[in-house]
Amino acid sequence: MSQDLYFLSGGGQMAALMRNHSWPSSGMKAPSHWTNEFKLLTNLVLSCPQPMMLWWGHNLVQVYNDAIAPLMGPERHPQALGRPAKETWHEVWDVFGPHVESVLRGEEPIWNEEQQIQFTRHGMRRQVWWSYGFTPIRSDSEIKGVVFTCQEMTARHRLTHRVRQQSERLQQLFEQAPGFVAILVGEDHVFQLANAAYRDLVGNRPLIGKPIAEVLPEAAAQGFLDRLDAVYRTGNTDRGSRVPLRLTNNAHTEMQYLLDFIYQPIFEDDGQVSGIFVQGHDVTAHAVAEKNLSLINHELKHRVKNSLAVITGIVNQTLRKSGYDEILRTLRERISAYARAHDILAPQTWATGTVQGAVSSALQPFQARGSFFSIEGPDLTLGSRQVLSLALAVHELAANAARFGALTLPTGRVDIRWGLVDPGDNPKFEFSWEESGGPPVSTPGRQGFGLHLVSVDDRDSLLLPRLLRFRPTEFDRLHSILKLTAAWLQSAIDLV
């Protein structure tokens, strides 16, 4: 390389193009005859890793580096070398031109951050975002050229735009959320966000940018601030269920609330807590409704038991004549068993109960013989009809055992088992009552109420098919099995 072209060494592909370029066709002297000043500036541009162009002289003839070539597109590179800037950038000169004229007049350098411009690149007119600027080159009190620097920001702009859209969408979802949502930042718990439900809860007080102790002093005094402080200090989540809150509304009336909420710490990349995410629901109306429902169910339960008491009284009066003592005792026991079964139904809805509850209520009168019983089975949930029917069936089995079966002898024993057989898509429920150690058993000659109850074909009470099985080769054993179909399980277990 000629000593006169030292300034083109190490300049990459553009330096090679400049060495081979026909400069006279661009109206310029060969590079070896350039002024030292222009050589120095050219070397600076070629060596710079940032996209850069040097516009020089009256026509603003261009030299530029490798970094800016891909940004120009094949429509401009490499033919822009040695051509006037206005010719190369004619599509955007309405944007660039005023800035160039400004710096040529000696005004301050210009920098534009992430600006949208449109020009043809790779055969298509495109919208791109550039950060770019123009800096005047002064020499001997004269401006001889302009340095144009730029950076492609299109990908970052689009990513930022998508993130902004997602953030706005997330804020919109927070705003529309049925529960209250807030974001508190800093150790003073300053409101950064509060959605409509939160603002409604606190009477539309101005919240954003203010600490909770300032805008909600009542909540701070009721222990909520201490809970927030603990979450911020320890980084542990805090959950509250039906926590009471008293707030004074705009009419200076004290309002009572019950809240379910969670305080979730917000962690930064370094693991430090920077804020707290608050989410919850006002469950005041739900709690009031539950209380009212409980009162209604309690009243209904009271009326049912009163009705059963009246029925018992009617039976007593009807069968008071001598000779009906056994029938009267049996009826009383059955009505009592039915009443006890009502006691085990869920107090909130009175619609469900458990197998364990039904068995325990039915065996209550026989607890003096507690050592006679062995009870085992999962805690399955039943509908109210099934609970009542199962309780009556177990009562009849126990009453029969007390009169004629295993409970009549000290050696007698009753094993009660239940569970799901073949669990899956078509499960079956099996309830087993097995007596042993009692007197000999045989198939009864007639079907009484108890036998009818555990073998009746009634889809609204217990289920079918059922099997009451006596074992003739084991005269001291009675094995009663209730086999309940999958259809009954669908309507009774865990689906009520």
Side-chain angles (χ1 to χ4, degrees):
M1 181 185 298
S2 170
Q3 185 66 26
D4 293 334
L5 298 179
Y6 71 92
F7 62 96
L8 297 180
S9 62
Q13 295 181 1
M14 286 307 304
L17 286 174
M18 292 176 67
R19 284 194 296 269
N20 299 320
H21 184 69
S22 175
W23 289 102
S25 64
S26 300
M28 294 182 63
K29 296 178 181 179
S32 59
H33 299 291
W34 289 354
T35 65
N36 290 333
E37 182 180 47
F38 190 39
K39 289 179 180 180
L40 179 63
L41 290 170
T42 299
N43 180 260
L44 175 65
V45 169
L46 292 174
S47 303
C48 183
Q50 181 179 351
M52 183 178 294
M53 303 186 84
L54 173 61
W55 299 347
W56 188 257
H58 178 72
N59 292 327
L60 300 178
V61 174
Q62 301 170 121
V63 294
Y64 53 94
N65 60 9
D66 287 348
I68 200 172
L71 278 59
M72 299 168 65
E75 291 81 4
R76 294 167 188 80
H77 172 70
Q79 56 269 30
L81 182 62
R83 305 303 303 168
K86 185 175 181 180
E87 175 185 304
T88 300
W89 300 102
H90 65 91
E91 287 183 284
V92 292
W93 201 253
D94 59 331
V95 178
F96 286 180
H99 297 319
V100 174
E101 292 174 4
S102 173
V103 297
L104 288 175
R105 289 195 300 267
E107 297 179 13
E108 292 296 320
I110 293 174
W111 180 255
N112 296 296
E113 188 71 36
E114 203 167 305
Q115 296 294 306
Q116 179 185 347
I117 57 176
Q118 296 186 22
F119 61 89
T120 303
R121 189 164 66 180
H122 297 286
M124 183 181 299
R125 188 165 178 83
R126 302 175 185 274
Q127 288 185 345
V128 299
W129 281 263
W130 279 4
S131 292
Y132 62 91
F134 304 93
T135 304
I137 301 173
R138 291 181 172 87
S139 178
D140 298 330
S141 302
E142 179 185 359
I143 297 177
K144 293 187 176 181
V146 176
V147 173
F148 171 59
T149 55
C150 70
Q151 186 174 1
E152 179 82 57
M153 306 297 292
T154 304
R156 193 180 83 168
H157 174 85
R158 290 173 178 167
L159 177 61
T160 302
H161 181 67
R162 285 197 296 270
V163 170
R164 186 182 299 113
Q165 283 184 319
Q166 293 173 357
S167 177
E168 291 173 353
R169 176 59 176 162
L170 188 59
Q171 289 190 24
Q172 186 181 45
L173 292 175
F174 281 163
E175 180 68 13
Q176 297 172 352
F180 57 81
V181 176
I183 295 178
L184 309 174
V185 296
E187 61 182 9
D188 292 330
H189 315 301
V190 176
F191 280 95
Q192 186 181 65
L193 179 148
N195 72 342
Y198 197 106
R199 297 193 300 272
D200 289 342
L201 177 68
V202 301
N204 290 306
R205 306 182 190 189
L207 301 173
I208 305 304
K210 297 182 179 180
I212 192 169
E214 176 183 333
V215 292
L216 293 172
E218 313 102 299
Q222 294 170 57
F224 288 87
L225 183 59
D226 292 339
R227 300 180 76 148
L228 289 169
D229 287 340
V231 172
Y232 192 89
R233 183 178 62 255
T234 65
N236 296 326
T237 299
D238 184 11
R239 292 176 174 85
S241 178
R242 302 208 171 182
V243 179
L245 170 66
R246 299 183 305 277
L247 291 176
T248 303
N249 62 16
N250 294 330
H252 304 290
T253 302
E254 186 175 86
M255 306 295 292
Q256 302 273 353
Y257 300 98
L258 289 175
L259 306 179
D260 288 350
F261 62 85
I262 180 170
Y263 292 159
Q264 183 73 40
I266 300 172
F267 293 98
E268 295 301 314
D269 294 339
D270 60 0
Q272 298 298 311
V273 177
S274 63
I276 298 174
F277 179 78
V278 179
Q279 192 275 327
H281 291 85
D282 176 8
V283 296
T284 308
H286 183 72
V288 171
E290 277 189 351
K291 182 178 179 180
N292 291 338
L293 181 60
S294 180
L295 291 174
I296 293 171
N297 284 330
H298 180 77
E299 177 64 20
L300 181 60
K301 188 174 183 179
H302 180 69
R303 292 188 182 188
V304 169
K305 300 195 77 171
N306 282 346
S307 297
L308 293 175
V310 171
I311 292 172
T312 302
I314 294 173
V315 170
N316 288 337
Q317 291 298 317
T318 303
L319 301 179
R320 65 174 182 240
K321 294 182 179 180
S322 177
Y324 294 105
D325 292 348
E326 180 65 21
I327 296 175
L328 182 59
R329 183 180 62 80
T330 302
L331 280 174
R332 285 173 177 169
E333 289 177 353
R334 287 170 177 165
I335 293 173
S336 295
Y338 191 70
R340 289 193 305 274
H342 277 84
D343 289 338
I344 70 168
L345 297 177
Q348 290 82 7
T349 62
W350 227 31
T352 61
T354 64
V355 176
Q356 179 70 48
V359 172
S360 298
S361 71
L363 297 181
Q364 185 176 329
F366 309 95
Q367 290 304 310
R369 303 180 177 91
S371 60
F372 285 70
F373 295 101
S374 173
I375 302 173
E376 182 179 347
D379 195 19
L380 299 176
T381 300
L382 305 178
S384 58
R385 287 185 178 183
Q386 288 80 7
V387 167
L388 298 175
S389 297
L390 181 60
L392 284 177
V394 173
H395 168 78
E396 292 301 319
L397 290 169
N400 184 73
R403 291 190 180 95
F404 313 111
L407 300 185
T408 62
L409 296 178
T411 57
R413 178 179 177 83
V414 178
D415 291 313
I416 303 171
R417 304 284 185 273
W418 66 86
L420 293 177
V421 180
D422 299 326
D425 295 336
N426 189 32
K428 293 180 176 60
F429 176 75
E430 185 171 286
F431 184 92
S432 170
W433 173 287
E434 184 171 6
E435 299 180 27
S436 60
V441 298
S442 62
T443 303
R446 67 181 184 87
Q447 179 172 308
F449 174 78
L451 187 58
H452 172 77
L453 183 65
V454 297
S455 58
V456 65
D457 185 354
D458 180 2
R459 292 181 183 272
D460 287 334
S461 57
L462 233 53
L463 271 204
L464 41 121
R466 325 184 196 328
L467 174 64
L468 182 62
R469 186 167 66 210
F470 297 88
R471 296 184 177 177
T473 58
E474 301 177 29
F475 295 104
D476 65 340
R477 301 181 74 85
L478 170 68
H479 193 183
S480 174
I481 302 175
L482 302 180
K483 291 187 176 181
L484 293 90
T485 65
W488 185 81
L489 284 173
Q490 287 294 96
S491 64
I493 298 179
D494 294 330
L495 295 177
V496 293

